[in-house]
Amino acid sequence: MNEQIAVTGLAVMGSNLARNFARNGAQVVVHNRTTAKTDALVQLHGSEGDFVHAPSTQDMIDALERPRRILIMVQAGRPTDLVIDDIAPRLDPGDVLIDGGNSRYTDTRRREAALRKIGVHFVGAGVSGGEDGALNGPSIMPGGSPESYAAVGPLLERIAAQVDGTPCCAYVGPDGAGHFVKMVHNGIEYADMQLIAEAYDLLRRVLGATPAEIAAIFAEWNSGDLDSYLVEITAEVLGHTDAATGLPFVDVVLDQAEQKGTGRWTVQSALDLGVPVSGIAEAVFARALSGHPEQRAAAAGLPGPSTPAAAVDDRAGFVEDVRKALYASKVVAYAQGFDQIAAASAEYGWDIDRAAMATIWRGGCIIRAKFLDRIKQAYDDDRELPSLLVAPYFADQVGAAQEGWRRVVTAAVQRGIPAPGFATALAYYDGLRAERLSASLIQGLRDFFGSHTYRRVDRAGSFHTLWSADRAEVTP
């Protein structure tokens, strides 16, 4: 018999993953709460491989040889818990449940611990690439016990995207590590899209370029060091014309960006871990601002710059500056994301290999980009690299881009054009490279009003100044 796996939850992602498994030689037991979707999948795509129709949960269990492998593809949160509660009592020790949805990593840790008590392995697998990736090769980020990966890893690696003969799937770490890495992936995705949108906005408003002209610029950028999936599809979207109106497609879309929560989770987790992910946070907040049209309408009459900015004489030079700002800001977003992964790995004992994460993001996923090869190399060269920005290659590249980056942020401020992603990324870069920060004053203020103490540059220990008395310094 072929290798077996069951897929329960046959919406678009579940159906496409089931088809992907079948195309790659597995016998796939397919199940859905409503049998109509199971019927439709087998009827439309049964010729693609070896499918077994399971009308009920028990039929699905009975169709599988032990150890059973079952992939759950349902809505994150309560629906996932309900499916697990239905399946888990029917399983035997050694069986493997896989959650391929966008579950919060804290839920995955809870579920893994509960199922471990009854001997069932639980894998939280982040899956990126959308419906096309699910069918033709996604990036997969599985977390769980090493034993569980031994049972399901070969199958997952077979259906994953392949880059230079390497699958975009690798063991991430214990319990919630896989879903954590997928969450951070999505946070970087938020930042990347915000930066791309700001680049478009600046090219249009500063140069007066049309969406079609900007599409051509992005297409050209995609042939260089900005080569990435998101830059590629930006050219496609900007070049599209709305059939109903004849207008550029981007001009008929409401300017209110929606979100499903993974970006917020990334920022919330970073706050808990004490990791600055300002680029990702700014992208989340920019979406939130766009979603408050009543506030924006009320503020529409507020004054902007009183002195008109000079026209740009060197159009090609400005385009190049925006390219540099986009590249440098993207590196900052990735650097912050990898820092967050390292912090969580240390906090939870996951021992995540950041080079391996860069490897599995090179294909299939939404943030796949040419420079991920460089990121992989940076972490291969130094597993304990304190920041991607200090890796020799990126230090040189961002250093060479920073003057143009500064000109772009200045141009945006002078014209009253919001570019929070570019500006925040630049502020992070400058803060990181600063010899001394203004935090010394903050510590002084905290000690003044709250006796929170401070440390000195010239000797060890904690100190407090008696601000309301003679201002003598004491050691608490």
mmCIF file of all heavy atoms in Angstrom, residues 171-172 181 184 275 334-346 350-362 372-390:
data_model
loop_
_atom_site.group_PDB
_atom_site.id
_atom_site.type_symbol
_atom_site.label_atom_id
_atom_site.label_comp_id
_atom_site.label_asym_id
_atom_site.label_seq_id
_atom_site.Cartn_x
_atom_site.Cartn_y
_atom_site.Cartn_z
ATOM 1 N N TYR A 171 12.049 20.382 9.915
ATOM 2 C CA TYR A 171 11.619 20.348 11.312
ATOM 3 C C TYR A 171 12.018 21.651 11.988
ATOM 4 O O TYR A 171 13.172 22.073 11.955
ATOM 5 C CB TYR A 171 12.271 19.165 12.020
ATOM 6 C CG TYR A 171 11.959 19.067 13.497
ATOM 7 C CD1 TYR A 171 10.655 18.862 13.940
ATOM 8 C CD2 TYR A 171 12.970 19.179 14.445
ATOM 9 C CE1 TYR A 171 10.372 18.773 15.293
ATOM 10 C CE2 TYR A 171 12.699 19.087 15.801
ATOM 11 C CZ TYR A 171 11.391 18.887 16.221
ATOM 12 O OH TYR A 171 11.112 18.809 17.565
ATOM 13 N N VAL A 172 11.039 22.322 12.617
ATOM 14 C CA VAL A 172 11.286 23.620 13.240
ATOM 15 C C VAL A 172 11.701 23.458 14.698
ATOM 16 O O VAL A 172 12.695 24.030 15.146
ATOM 17 C CB VAL A 172 10.048 24.525 13.127
ATOM 18 C CG1 VAL A 172 10.285 25.853 13.831
ATOM 19 C CG2 VAL A 172 9.692 24.764 11.658
ATOM 20 N N VAL A 181 6.826 30.203 14.025
ATOM 21 C CA VAL A 181 7.580 30.654 12.855
ATOM 22 C C VAL A 181 6.637 31.100 11.744
ATOM 23 O O VAL A 181 6.882 32.100 11.063
ATOM 24 C CB VAL A 181 8.530 29.540 12.380
ATOM 25 C CG1 VAL A 181 9.093 29.845 10.992
ATOM 26 C CG2 VAL A 181 9.672 29.370 13.372
ATOM 27 N N VAL A 184 5.427 34.588 12.598
ATOM 28 C CA VAL A 184 6.428 35.607 12.293
ATOM 29 C C VAL A 184 6.542 35.803 10.782
ATOM 30 O O VAL A 184 6.693 36.936 10.305
ATOM 31 C CB VAL A 184 7.786 35.244 12.914
ATOM 32 C CG1 VAL A 184 8.869 36.213 12.464
ATOM 33 C CG2 VAL A 184 7.680 35.248 14.445
ATOM 34 N N VAL A 275 11.107 42.116 22.298
ATOM 35 C CA VAL A 275 11.860 42.228 21.045
ATOM 36 C C VAL A 275 11.261 43.357 20.204
ATOM 37 O O VAL A 275 10.057 43.348 19.931
ATOM 38 C CB VAL A 275 11.800 40.911 20.246
ATOM 39 C CG1 VAL A 275 12.571 41.037 18.937
ATOM 40 C CG2 VAL A 275 12.342 39.766 21.071
ATOM 41 N N TYR A 334 12.927 41.709 7.925
ATOM 42 C CA TYR A 334 13.375 40.327 8.068
ATOM 43 C C TYR A 334 14.276 40.183 9.289
ATOM 44 O O TYR A 334 14.180 39.205 10.039
ATOM 45 C CB TYR A 334 14.115 39.872 6.815
ATOM 46 C CG TYR A 334 13.222 39.469 5.669
ATOM 47 C CD1 TYR A 334 12.573 40.425 4.890
ATOM 48 C CD2 TYR A 334 13.015 38.130 5.345
ATOM 49 C CE1 TYR A 334 11.763 40.069 3.826
ATOM 50 C CE2 TYR A 334 12.204 37.757 4.283
ATOM 51 C CZ TYR A 334 11.584 38.734 3.532
ATOM 52 O OH TYR A 334 10.765 38.365 2.485
ATOM 53 N N ALA A 335 15.168 41.154 9.499
ATOM 54 C CA ALA A 335 16.067 41.103 10.655
ATOM 55 C C ALA A 335 15.266 41.060 11.951
ATOM 56 O O ALA A 335 15.568 40.277 12.866
ATOM 57 C CB ALA A 335 17.004 42.312 10.647
ATOM 58 N N GLN A 336 14.238 41.902 12.057
ATOM 59 C CA GLN A 336 13.416 41.920 13.265
ATOM 60 C C GLN A 336 12.672 40.600 13.438
ATOM 61 O O GLN A 336 12.561 40.077 14.555
ATOM 62 C CB GLN A 336 12.445 43.093 13.207
ATOM 63 C CG GLN A 336 13.134 44.449 13.301
ATOM 64 C CD GLN A 336 12.165 45.615 13.217
ATOM 65 O OE1 GLN A 336 10.990 45.452 12.851
ATOM 66 N NE2 GLN A 336 12.645 46.803 13.551
ATOM 67 N N GLY A 337 12.160 40.040 12.342
ATOM 68 C CA GLY A 337 11.463 38.762 12.438
ATOM 69 C C GLY A 337 12.368 37.642 12.909
ATOM 70 O O GLY A 337 11.993 36.835 13.771
ATOM 71 N N PHE A 338 13.569 37.579 12.366
ATOM 72 C CA PHE A 338 14.509 36.536 12.797
ATOM 73 C C PHE A 338 14.957 36.751 14.240
ATOM 74 O O PHE A 338 15.202 35.781 14.967
ATOM 75 C CB PHE A 338 15.703 36.469 11.850
ATOM 76 C CG PHE A 338 15.443 35.663 10.602
ATOM 77 C CD1 PHE A 338 15.138 36.288 9.405
ATOM 78 C CD2 PHE A 338 15.478 34.281 10.641
ATOM 79 C CE1 PHE A 338 14.889 35.544 8.251
ATOM 80 C CE2 PHE A 338 15.234 33.524 9.492
ATOM 81 C CZ PHE A 338 14.932 34.158 8.297
ATOM 82 N N ASP A 339 15.059 38.016 14.674
ATOM 83 C CA ASP A 339 15.362 38.276 16.085
ATOM 84 C C ASP A 339 14.250 37.738 16.983
ATOM 85 O O ASP A 339 14.515 37.181 18.060
ATOM 86 C CB ASP A 339 15.508 39.777 16.327
ATOM 87 C CG ASP A 339 16.797 40.349 15.748
ATOM 88 O OD1 ASP A 339 17.676 39.567 15.345
ATOM 89 O OD2 ASP A 339 16.914 41.590 15.679
ATOM 90 N N GLN A 340 13.015 37.901 16.552
ATOM 91 C CA GLN A 340 11.890 37.416 17.356
ATOM 92 C C GLN A 340 11.896 35.890 17.431
ATOM 93 O O GLN A 340 11.616 35.308 18.491
ATOM 94 C CB GLN A 340 10.566 37.919 16.773
ATOM 95 C CG GLN A 340 9.359 37.555 17.624
ATOM 96 C CD GLN A 340 8.083 38.231 17.146
ATOM 97 O OE1 GLN A 340 8.100 39.033 16.209
ATOM 98 N NE2 GLN A 340 6.968 37.916 17.771
ATOM 99 N N ILE A 341 12.221 35.242 16.328
ATOM 100 C CA ILE A 341 12.320 33.779 16.331
ATOM 101 C C ILE A 341 13.398 33.329 17.309
ATOM 102 O O ILE A 341 13.205 32.386 18.089
ATOM 103 C CB ILE A 341 12.601 33.262 14.914
ATOM 104 C CG1 ILE A 341 11.361 33.441 14.034
ATOM 105 C CG2 ILE A 341 13.032 31.796 14.945
ATOM 106 C CD1 ILE A 341 11.605 33.136 12.562
ATOM 107 N N ALA A 342 14.539 34.011 17.302
ATOM 108 C CA ALA A 342 15.636 33.647 18.214
ATOM 109 C C ALA A 342 15.221 33.830 19.668
ATOM 110 O O ALA A 342 15.538 32.997 20.527
ATOM 111 C CB ALA A 342 16.869 34.488 17.903
ATOM 112 N N ALA A 343 14.494 34.919 19.957
ATOM 113 C CA ALA A 343 14.071 35.181 21.331
ATOM 114 C C ALA A 343 13.091 34.116 21.820
ATOM 115 O O ALA A 343 13.185 33.632 22.955
ATOM 116 C CB ALA A 343 13.446 36.568 21.432
ATOM 117 N N ALA A 344 12.132 33.752 20.974
ATOM 118 C CA ALA A 344 11.165 32.716 21.364
ATOM 119 C C ALA A 344 11.846 31.365 21.503
ATOM 120 O O ALA A 344 11.515 30.578 22.398
ATOM 121 C CB ALA A 344 10.051 32.642 20.329
ATOM 122 N N SER A 345 12.796 31.088 20.629
ATOM 123 C CA SER A 345 13.526 29.827 20.706
ATOM 124 C C SER A 345 14.246 29.697 22.048
ATOM 125 O O SER A 345 14.230 28.635 22.674
ATOM 126 C CB SER A 345 14.529 29.743 19.557
ATOM 127 O OG SER A 345 15.231 28.526 19.586
ATOM 128 N N ALA A 346 14.849 30.798 22.490
ATOM 129 C CA ALA A 346 15.524 30.781 23.789
ATOM 130 C C ALA A 346 14.535 30.687 24.936
ATOM 131 O O ALA A 346 14.757 29.955 25.909
ATOM 132 C CB ALA A 346 16.383 32.040 23.931
ATOM 133 N N TRP A 350 13.319 25.887 22.138
ATOM 134 C CA TRP A 350 13.008 25.261 20.859
ATOM 135 C C TRP A 350 14.238 24.947 20.012
ATOM 136 O O TRP A 350 14.174 24.114 19.116
ATOM 137 C CB TRP A 350 12.059 26.161 20.054
ATOM 138 C CG TRP A 350 10.655 26.186 20.574
ATOM 139 C CD1 TRP A 350 10.036 25.233 21.317
ATOM 140 C CD2 TRP A 350 9.685 27.216 20.352
ATOM 141 N NE1 TRP A 350 8.732 25.601 21.583
ATOM 142 C CE2 TRP A 350 8.488 26.811 20.992
ATOM 143 C CE3 TRP A 350 9.691 28.432 19.680
ATOM 144 C CZ2 TRP A 350 7.326 27.585 20.980
ATOM 145 C CZ3 TRP A 350 8.538 29.202 19.659
ATOM 146 C CH2 TRP A 350 7.369 28.777 20.302
ATOM 147 N N ASP A 351 15.330 25.666 20.201
ATOM 148 C CA ASP A 351 16.557 25.454 19.430
ATOM 149 C C ASP A 351 16.296 25.549 17.928
ATOM 150 O O ASP A 351 16.668 24.671 17.144
ATOM 151 C CB ASP A 351 17.183 24.096 19.776
ATOM 152 C CG ASP A 351 18.612 23.966 19.247
ATOM 153 O OD1 ASP A 351 19.299 25.005 19.105
ATOM 154 O OD2 ASP A 351 19.043 22.840 18.933
ATOM 155 N N ILE A 352 15.654 26.629 17.505
ATOM 156 C CA ILE A 352 15.323 26.825 16.090
ATOM 157 C C ILE A 352 16.569 27.252 15.323
ATOM 158 O O ILE A 352 17.301 28.147 15.735
ATOM 159 C CB ILE A 352 14.206 27.875 15.925
ATOM 160 C CG1 ILE A 352 12.924 27.397 16.611
ATOM 161 C CG2 ILE A 352 13.951 28.168 14.451
ATOM 162 C CD1 ILE A 352 11.808 28.423 16.601
ATOM 163 N N ASP A 353 16.783 26.619 14.199
ATOM 164 C CA ASP A 353 17.892 26.942 13.296
ATOM 165 C C ASP A 353 17.413 28.012 12.322
ATOM 166 O O ASP A 353 16.637 27.734 11.399
ATOM 167 C CB ASP A 353 18.317 25.675 12.548
ATOM 168 C CG ASP A 353 19.494 25.898 11.619
ATOM 169 O OD1 ASP A 353 19.856 27.061 11.358
ATOM 170 O OD2 ASP A 353 20.048 24.895 11.130
ATOM 171 N N ARG A 354 17.885 29.250 12.501
ATOM 172 C CA ARG A 354 17.405 30.341 11.646
ATOM 173 C C ARG A 354 17.828 30.164 10.190
ATOM 174 O O ARG A 354 17.099 30.570 9.278
ATOM 175 C CB ARG A 354 17.879 31.691 12.201
ATOM 176 C CG ARG A 354 17.160 32.096 13.484
ATOM 177 C CD ARG A 354 17.647 33.428 14.028
ATOM 178 N NE ARG A 354 18.986 33.340 14.582
ATOM 179 C CZ ARG A 354 19.652 34.369 15.103
ATOM 180 N NH1 ARG A 354 19.095 35.577 15.101
ATOM 181 N NH2 ARG A 354 20.865 34.205 15.610
ATOM 182 N N ALA A 355 18.973 29.554 9.957
ATOM 183 C CA ALA A 355 19.381 29.285 8.574
ATOM 184 C C ALA A 355 18.395 28.338 7.897
ATOM 185 O O ALA A 355 18.061 28.499 6.716
ATOM 186 C CB ALA A 355 20.795 28.695 8.539
ATOM 187 N N ALA A 356 17.912 27.340 8.639
ATOM 188 C CA ALA A 356 16.932 26.403 8.082
ATOM 189 C C ALA A 356 15.618 27.103 7.779
ATOM 190 O O ALA A 356 14.949 26.792 6.785
ATOM 191 C CB ALA A 356 16.704 25.245 9.049
ATOM 192 N N MET A 357 15.237 28.084 8.609
ATOM 193 C CA MET A 357 13.999 28.820 8.343
ATOM 194 C C MET A 357 14.140 29.658 7.074
ATOM 195 O O MET A 357 13.213 29.739 6.256
ATOM 196 C CB MET A 357 13.642 29.724 9.532
ATOM 197 C CG MET A 357 13.390 28.972 10.841
ATOM 198 S SD MET A 357 12.165 27.637 10.734
ATOM 199 C CE MET A 357 13.211 26.179 10.514
ATOM 200 N N ALA A 358 15.293 30.284 6.890
ATOM 201 C CA ALA A 358 15.524 31.021 5.649
ATOM 202 C C ALA A 358 15.463 30.075 4.451
ATOM 203 O O ALA A 358 14.942 30.435 3.386
ATOM 204 C CB ALA A 358 16.876 31.728 5.700
ATOM 205 N N THR A 359 15.959 28.856 4.620
ATOM 206 C CA THR A 359 15.950 27.872 3.538
ATOM 207 C C THR A 359 14.526 27.524 3.122
ATOM 208 O O THR A 359 14.211 27.495 1.928
ATOM 209 C CB THR A 359 16.685 26.588 3.977
ATOM 210 O OG1 THR A 359 18.042 26.912 4.285
ATOM 211 C CG2 THR A 359 16.650 25.530 2.883
ATOM 212 N N ILE A 360 13.657 27.271 4.096
ATOM 213 C CA ILE A 360 12.308 26.829 3.735
ATOM 214 C C ILE A 360 11.410 27.983 3.305
ATOM 215 O O ILE A 360 10.313 27.757 2.786
ATOM 216 C CB ILE A 360 11.640 26.026 4.878
ATOM 217 C CG1 ILE A 360 11.387 26.890 6.115
ATOM 218 C CG2 ILE A 360 12.477 24.810 5.211
ATOM 219 C CD1 ILE A 360 10.675 26.138 7.237
ATOM 220 N N TRP A 361 11.859 29.226 3.498
ATOM 221 C CA TRP A 361 11.118 30.386 2.989
ATOM 222 C C TRP A 361 11.534 30.775 1.580
ATOM 223 O O TRP A 361 11.013 31.726 1.010
ATOM 224 C CB TRP A 361 11.311 31.576 3.924
ATOM 225 C CG TRP A 361 10.560 31.482 5.220
ATOM 226 C CD1 TRP A 361 9.614 30.567 5.559
ATOM 227 C CD2 TRP A 361 10.692 32.349 6.356
ATOM 228 N NE1 TRP A 361 9.154 30.788 6.836
ATOM 229 C CE2 TRP A 361 9.801 31.885 7.350
ATOM 230 C CE3 TRP A 361 11.482 33.462 6.636
ATOM 231 C CZ2 TRP A 361 9.669 32.507 8.591
ATOM 232 C CZ3 TRP A 361 11.360 34.080 7.866
ATOM 233 C CH2 TRP A 361 10.461 33.618 8.832
ATOM 234 N N ARG A 362 12.490 30.068 0.982
ATOM 235 C CA ARG A 362 12.977 30.461 -0.342
ATOM 236 C C ARG A 362 11.982 30.148 -1.445
ATOM 237 O O ARG A 362 12.066 30.710 -2.548
ATOM 238 C CB ARG A 362 14.307 29.762 -0.646
ATOM 239 C CG ARG A 362 15.457 30.191 0.256
ATOM 240 C CD ARG A 362 16.748 29.534 -0.187
ATOM 241 N NE ARG A 362 16.629 28.077 -0.226
ATOM 242 C CZ ARG A 362 17.463 27.278 -0.893
ATOM 243 N NH1 ARG A 362 18.476 27.791 -1.569
ATOM 244 N NH2 ARG A 362 17.281 25.967 -0.865
ATOM 245 N N LEU A 372 16.871 35.665 0.429
ATOM 246 C CA LEU A 372 16.835 34.648 1.475
ATOM 247 C C LEU A 372 18.032 33.703 1.385
ATOM 248 O O LEU A 372 18.458 33.131 2.392
ATOM 249 C CB LEU A 372 15.520 33.874 1.425
ATOM 250 C CG LEU A 372 14.358 34.591 2.134
ATOM 251 C CD1 LEU A 372 13.025 34.068 1.654
ATOM 252 C CD2 LEU A 372 14.480 34.461 3.642
ATOM 253 N N ASP A 373 18.593 33.537 0.182
ATOM 254 C CA ASP A 373 19.841 32.776 0.073
ATOM 255 C C ASP A 373 20.938 33.456 0.878
ATOM 256 O O ASP A 373 21.751 32.789 1.540
ATOM 257 C CB ASP A 373 20.268 32.665 -1.392
ATOM 258 C CG ASP A 373 19.479 31.602 -2.153
ATOM 259 O OD1 ASP A 373 19.253 30.525 -1.581
ATOM 260 O OD2 ASP A 373 19.090 31.861 -3.300
ATOM 261 N N ARG A 374 20.985 34.793 0.816
ATOM 262 C CA ARG A 374 21.982 35.551 1.572
ATOM 263 C C ARG A 374 21.714 35.465 3.079
ATOM 264 O O ARG A 374 22.647 35.394 3.885
ATOM 265 C CB ARG A 374 21.955 37.014 1.127
ATOM 266 C CG ARG A 374 22.322 37.238 -0.330
ATOM 267 C CD ARG A 374 23.796 37.075 -0.569
ATOM 268 N NE ARG A 374 24.183 37.518 -1.910
ATOM 269 C CZ ARG A 374 25.437 37.548 -2.346
ATOM 270 N NH1 ARG A 374 26.419 37.160 -1.551
ATOM 271 N NH2 ARG A 374 25.701 37.959 -3.572
ATOM 272 N N ILE A 375 20.438 35.472 3.453
ATOM 273 C CA ILE A 375 20.091 35.349 4.865
ATOM 274 C C ILE A 375 20.502 33.979 5.391
ATOM 275 O O ILE A 375 21.082 33.851 6.478
ATOM 276 C CB ILE A 375 18.582 35.597 5.074
ATOM 277 C CG1 ILE A 375 18.234 37.056 4.716
ATOM 278 C CG2 ILE A 375 18.177 35.286 6.507
ATOM 279 C CD1 ILE A 375 16.752 37.388 4.798
ATOM 280 N N LYS A 376 20.208 32.937 4.605
ATOM 281 C CA LYS A 376 20.636 31.585 4.995
ATOM 282 C C LYS A 376 22.142 31.541 5.199
ATOM 283 O O LYS A 376 22.632 30.989 6.203
ATOM 284 C CB LYS A 376 20.221 30.576 3.923
ATOM 285 C CG LYS A 376 20.742 29.165 4.170
ATOM 286 C CD LYS A 376 20.452 28.253 2.996
ATOM 287 C CE LYS A 376 20.943 26.838 3.256
ATOM 288 N NZ LYS A 376 22.402 26.765 3.498
ATOM 289 N N GLN A 377 22.878 32.125 4.275
ATOM 290 C CA GLN A 377 24.335 32.103 4.378
ATOM 291 C C GLN A 377 24.820 32.840 5.621
ATOM 292 O O GLN A 377 25.752 32.409 6.302
ATOM 293 C CB GLN A 377 24.962 32.724 3.127
ATOM 294 C CG GLN A 377 26.480 32.573 3.054
ATOM 295 C CD GLN A 377 26.912 31.127 3.010
ATOM 296 O OE1 GLN A 377 26.455 30.365 2.156
ATOM 297 N NE2 GLN A 377 27.786 30.723 3.938
ATOM 298 N N ALA A 378 24.151 33.967 5.936
ATOM 299 C CA ALA A 378 24.549 34.747 7.110
ATOM 300 C C ALA A 378 24.411 33.929 8.386
ATOM 301 O O ALA A 378 25.306 33.940 9.254
ATOM 302 C CB ALA A 378 23.705 36.020 7.205
ATOM 303 N N TYR A 379 23.311 33.174 8.521
ATOM 304 C CA TYR A 379 23.117 32.379 9.726
ATOM 305 C C TYR A 379 23.910 31.075 9.692
ATOM 306 O O TYR A 379 24.242 30.522 10.744
ATOM 307 C CB TYR A 379 21.630 32.116 9.954
ATOM 308 C CG TYR A 379 20.890 33.357 10.414
ATOM 309 C CD1 TYR A 379 19.870 33.910 9.642
ATOM 310 C CD2 TYR A 379 21.228 33.981 11.607
ATOM 311 C CE1 TYR A 379 19.203 35.056 10.057
ATOM 312 C CE2 TYR A 379 20.568 35.126 12.028
ATOM 313 C CZ TYR A 379 19.552 35.656 11.249
ATOM 314 O OH TYR A 379 18.912 36.788 11.653
ATOM 315 N N ASP A 380 24.225 30.576 8.496
ATOM 316 C CA ASP A 380 25.140 29.444 8.408
ATOM 317 C C ASP A 380 26.532 29.852 8.890
ATOM 318 O O ASP A 380 27.221 29.087 9.580
ATOM 319 C CB ASP A 380 25.234 28.942 6.963
ATOM 320 C CG ASP A 380 24.124 27.959 6.605
ATOM 321 O OD1 ASP A 380 23.550 27.345 7.537
ATOM 322 O OD2 ASP A 380 23.822 27.813 5.405
ATOM 323 N N ASP A 381 26.945 31.062 8.517
ATOM 324 C CA ASP A 381 28.273 31.544 8.901
ATOM 325 C C ASP A 381 28.371 31.815 10.400
ATOM 326 O O ASP A 381 29.437 31.658 10.996
ATOM 327 C CB ASP A 381 28.615 32.826 8.130
ATOM 328 C CG ASP A 381 28.846 32.566 6.648
ATOM 329 O OD1 ASP A 381 29.050 31.403 6.262
ATOM 330 O OD2 ASP A 381 28.803 33.547 5.867
ATOM 331 N N ASP A 382 27.262 32.251 10.997
ATOM 332 C CA ASP A 382 27.275 32.588 12.428
ATOM 333 C C ASP A 382 25.901 32.284 13.011
ATOM 334 O O ASP A 382 24.982 33.089 12.903
ATOM 335 C CB ASP A 382 27.629 34.069 12.618
ATOM 336 C CG ASP A 382 27.744 34.465 14.090
ATOM 337 O OD1 ASP A 382 27.498 33.610 14.959
ATOM 338 O OD2 ASP A 382 28.070 35.639 14.352
ATOM 339 N N ARG A 383 25.772 31.115 13.617
ATOM 340 C CA ARG A 383 24.481 30.691 14.178
ATOM 341 C C ARG A 383 24.002 31.647 15.269
ATOM 342 O O ARG A 383 22.802 31.798 15.484
ATOM 343 C CB ARG A 383 24.613 29.272 14.740
ATOM 344 C CG ARG A 383 23.302 28.676 15.244
ATOM 345 C CD ARG A 383 23.503 27.257 15.755
ATOM 346 N NE ARG A 383 22.326 26.760 16.434
ATOM 347 C CZ ARG A 383 21.323 26.127 15.857
ATOM 348 N NH1 ARG A 383 21.359 25.918 14.561
ATOM 349 N NH2 ARG A 383 20.286 25.692 16.551
ATOM 350 N N GLU A 384 24.923 32.328 15.943
ATOM 351 C CA GLU A 384 24.572 33.248 17.024
ATOM 352 C C GLU A 384 24.603 34.712 16.565
ATOM 353 O O GLU A 384 24.740 35.614 17.394
ATOM 354 C CB GLU A 384 25.538 33.057 18.196
ATOM 355 C CG GLU A 384 25.603 31.638 18.739
ATOM 356 C CD GLU A 384 24.251 31.121 19.197
ATOM 357 O OE1 GLU A 384 23.479 31.924 19.759
ATOM 358 O OE2 GLU A 384 23.968 29.924 18.981
ATOM 359 N N LEU A 385 24.478 34.960 15.282
ATOM 360 C CA LEU A 385 24.522 36.314 14.732
ATOM 361 C C LEU A 385 23.582 37.235 15.514
ATOM 362 O O LEU A 385 22.378 36.966 15.612
ATOM 363 C CB LEU A 385 24.101 36.278 13.258
ATOM 364 C CG LEU A 385 24.254 37.562 12.449
ATOM 365 C CD1 LEU A 385 25.728 37.905 12.249
ATOM 366 C CD2 LEU A 385 23.553 37.410 11.090
ATOM 367 N N PRO A 386 24.096 38.338 16.106
ATOM 368 C CA PRO A 386 23.243 39.179 16.951
ATOM 369 C C PRO A 386 22.172 39.941 16.189
ATOM 370 O O PRO A 386 21.118 40.244 16.729
ATOM 371 C CB PRO A 386 24.238 40.139 17.607
ATOM 372 C CG PRO A 386 25.439 40.136 16.714
ATOM 373 C CD PRO A 386 25.498 38.771 16.116
ATOM 374 N N SER A 387 22.431 40.260 14.937
ATOM 375 C CA SER A 387 21.436 40.922 14.089
ATOM 376 C C SER A 387 21.817 40.701 12.642
ATOM 377 O O SER A 387 23.003 40.758 12.281
ATOM 378 C CB SER A 387 21.374 42.431 14.367
ATOM 379 O OG SER A 387 20.590 43.095 13.375
ATOM 380 N N LEU A 388 20.822 40.444 11.817
ATOM 381 C CA LEU A 388 21.081 40.277 10.388
ATOM 382 C C LEU A 388 21.752 41.518 9.803
ATOM 383 O O LEU A 388 22.533 41.425 8.851
ATOM 384 C CB LEU A 388 19.748 40.010 9.675
ATOM 385 C CG LEU A 388 19.813 39.615 8.203
ATOM 386 C CD1 LEU A 388 20.556 38.301 8.028
ATOM 387 C CD2 LEU A 388 18.398 39.514 7.633
ATOM 388 N N LEU A 389 21.483 42.673 10.391
ATOM 389 C CA LEU A 389 22.026 43.928 9.867
ATOM 390 C C LEU A 389 23.533 44.046 10.058
ATOM 391 O O LEU A 389 24.169 44.896 9.422
ATOM 392 C CB LEU A 389 21.318 45.113 10.515
ATOM 393 C CG LEU A 389 19.876 45.317 10.048
ATOM 394 C CD1 LEU A 389 19.123 46.211 11.013
ATOM 395 C CD2 LEU A 389 19.839 45.900 8.650
ATOM 396 N N VAL A 390 24.125 43.229 10.921
ATOM 397 C CA VAL A 390 25.572 43.289 11.103
ATOM 398 C C VAL A 390 26.293 42.189 10.334
ATOM 399 O O VAL A 390 27.527 42.147 10.345
ATOM 400 C CB VAL A 390 25.974 43.239 12.596
ATOM 401 C CG1 VAL A 390 25.296 44.349 13.368
ATOM 402 C CG2 VAL A 390 25.657 41.882 13.215
#
